[in-house]
Amino acid sequence: MQDIKELFEPVRLGAFDMRNRIVMSPMTRSRAGAGDCPTALHAEYYSQRADAGLIVTEGVQPSPAGKGYCRTPGIYSPEQIEGWGAVADAVHARNGRIVVQLMHCGRIAARINKDDDSEIVAPSAITANWKIFTDTSGLVDMDAPRALETEEIAQVVDEYRQAAVNARAAGLDGVELHASSGYLPMQFLSTNTNKRTDRYGGSVENRVRFSIEVLTAMGEAIGFDRVGLRTSPGLGFNDIDDEDPAETYGTLFDQASTLGLGYLHLVRNVTPKVDNYKLARDRWKGPLILNGNLTAAKAAGFLRSGGADAVSFGRDFIGNPDLVERLRQGVELADYDQDRVYTKGPEGFTDYPVAT
C-alpha cells in the first residue's frame, strides 16, 4: 500500500480545525424538497461523510434570483435555515465540520427551474451559449439575463452577507464563495461576460470588485477566517472565457490575500492561457485546498511537498461515504451510479454501503 499518511494529519485552516486533510468537494445533487429546502435526506447524506476533515456542501443559492438549476437548496427562508440546522447538527454529532457553498448562478439559469417570479440577472445582458437540465423539458437553452443596474449590485452583495449570517445561525461552520464554473462572481471576472462600463466593468480592478465586496461583506459578518473562496482560473465551463486569466485571477488573489480568509479552494487546471496552480502558488497568500482529479498518492504528494494544505475529492465521496477510512485501510473504492447523481430520492444518494 502506498504511503499516504499525510492525508490523515490534522490541520487548521482559518477557523476550521480539521482532523484530517481530506475535504469533501461541493457537488450538486439536486435533492432539495419543497421550497428549495434541505431535507432529512441531506442530513443523512452529509452525516454519512462526516469523517472528512471538512465538508463543503453542494451549491446553495443565497436568494431566489440565485437559483439556476432544478431542485437545488437555498439558505434565505426560515424553513431552509431550519433544514440546514438539521444538517449541521447531524454532521457535528459525528465530530465533523461543514461549510455551505454559496452559489448564485447568475445567467446560468432557466426560467422553468424557478418557482417564483425572480429575475435572471448577470453583469451584462449576454445569454450563455450552453444548455441546462429541467425536470419537465430535459435540456433547454439558457434564458436571457437582465444586466444588473449599478445601484442593484449592493443588494446582491448583501444577499450573500445575509446568507453567511443565516449559515452561522443554522450552526454551519462557515461559507465558501463559489467563484468558478461560470456563475455570477466568475461572470463579473470574465471579459466575455462582463461588458459593463461602470465601476464593476472594464479594467481588471473593476472586474474583481464584485468578488472582493462579497468576500468582505461575508467576512465582516461572520469572521474572515470562516470564509473560503473557490476558483478555477482558465475554466471554460458554462460558456466562460477571459482574455487574460493570469492577470484577472492574479489580481483577485492579490486582493483576497489581504482579507485573512480561511482558505482558497482551487480547481487545478492548465490551459494555453494559464497554469492556475502555479498562479495560485505565486499570488495567493493563505491556506490552499487543492482539487482536480487527484488520486490519493498525488494528493499526498502535494501535501508532503508543501504544495497544498489540504486536498479535496468529489466523485469519490458519492459512492464511498466512508472514503476516509477506505483510503486509510487501502480498501478498493466503489463506483457510483452516474445515472442517479441528480435524480430524486435516496437511490444513488444515501444508499451506498460502507466497506465491511
Side-chain angles (χ1 to χ4, degrees):
M1 188 173 76
Q2 292 176 307
D3 183 5
I4 55 172
K5 63 180 183 298
E6 292 83 3
L7 294 175
F8 311 107
E9 296 171 347
V11 68
R12 183 179 177 91
L13 305 186
F16 312 119
D17 281 314
M18 298 166 49
R19 51 183 160 172
N20 56 64
R21 296 178 186 242
I22 298 171
V23 176
M24 178 175 165
S25 184
M27 293 174 286
T28 295
R29 300 308 310 274
S30 297
R31 258 72 173 195
D36 293 337
C37 291
T39 70
L41 277 179
H42 292 79
E44 181 180 5
Y45 170 74
Y46 287 114
S47 67
Q48 288 173 339
R49 291 153 177 82
D51 287 340
L54 181 69
I55 291 173
V56 185
T57 73
E58 63 211 279
V60 175
Q61 56 258 20
S63 65
K67 183 179 182 181
Y69 299 97
C70 57
R71 291 179 275 111
T72 54
I75 194 165
Y76 51 85
S77 75
E79 295 79 12
Q80 292 165 354
I81 297 167
E82 181 179 359
W84 284 114
V87 172
D89 289 346
V91 171
H92 291 156
R94 295 198 56 222
N95 198 31
R97 299 288 178 268
I98 181 169
V99 300
V100 64
Q101 187 190 66
L102 297 178
M103 181 178 79
H104 191 306
C105 288
R107 73 178 190 151
I108 305 304
R111 164 61 49 198
I112 198 171
N113 284 337
K114 291 178 177 283
D115 298 324
D116 57 23
D117 59 357
S118 60
E119 294 185 274
I120 298 172
V121 295
S124 301
I126 302 172
T127 305
N129 184 22
W130 211 264
K131 291 186 181 293
I132 192 168
F133 180 78
T134 68
D135 277 330
T136 57
S137 303
L139 286 173
V140 301
D141 291 334
M142 302 283 183
D143 286 326
R146 177 180 67 78
L148 286 160
E149 300 291 340
T150 302
E151 59 271 16
E152 291 180 287
I153 294 177
Q155 177 59 40
V156 179
V157 172
D158 192 65
E159 290 169 355
Y160 276 104
R161 180 201 62 78
Q162 186 61 53
V165 171
N166 295 346
R168 292 295 289 146
L172 297 158
D173 296 295
V175 299
E176 178 179 285
L177 175 64
H178 196 347
S180 182
S181 299
Y183 302 126
L184 188 65
M186 198 175 193
Q187 292 163 29
F188 273 95
L189 289 164
S190 301
T191 53
N192 79 316
T193 48
N194 185 344
K195 302 298 183 182
R196 303 181 70 90
T197 57
D198 61 2
R199 65 180 183 272
Y200 291 96
S203 69
V204 63
E205 290 78 14
N206 284 352
R207 286 183 284 111
V208 304
R209 189 184 308 277
F210 176 77
S211 294
I212 295 299
E213 287 185 353
V214 170
L215 292 168
T216 300
M218 296 194 303
E220 289 178 344
I222 68 169
F224 286 95
D225 58 353
R226 292 189 179 275
V227 177
L229 169 64
R230 181 173 169 101
T231 66
S232 185
L235 183 71
F237 184 69
N238 275 329
D239 192 27
I240 279 286
D241 182 48
D242 188 56
E243 293 173 358
D244 191 347
E247 178 188 39
T248 299
Y249 288 89
T251 303
L252 176 66
F253 293 159
D254 288 346
Q255 295 190 22
S257 292
T258 68
L259 299 177
L261 300 178
Y263 62 82
L264 171 67
H265 193 173
L266 181 76
V267 183
R268 194 169 51 130
N269 186 35
V270 178
T271 73
K273 291 182 179 180
V274 65
D275 178 338
N276 70 15
Y277 176 66
K278 182 179 186 303
L279 180 69
R281 294 288 292 161
D282 290 344
R283 305 287 286 272
W284 167 253
K285 312 302 177 188
L288 176 66
I289 300 172
L290 188 61
N291 175 270
N293 296 316
L294 295 172
T295 64
K298 287 182 179 179
F302 279 109
L303 298 175
R304 189 178 307 122
S305 68
D309 299 284
V311 290
S312 71
F313 298 90
R315 290 183 294 271
D316 286 339
F317 264 111
I318 296 178
N320 300 275
D322 56 340
L323 177 65
V324 174
E325 193 59 27
R326 286 182 186 243
L327 293 176
R328 193 192 308 272
Q329 300 297 332
V331 176
E332 184 178 359
L333 299 187
D335 291 330
Y336 66 96
D337 187 346
Q338 296 187 37
D339 292 335
R340 294 185 182 273
V341 171
Y342 306 114
T343 54
K344 300 177 182 179
E347 293 82 10
F349 190 50
T350 57
D351 60 347
Y352 291 102
V354 299
T356 55

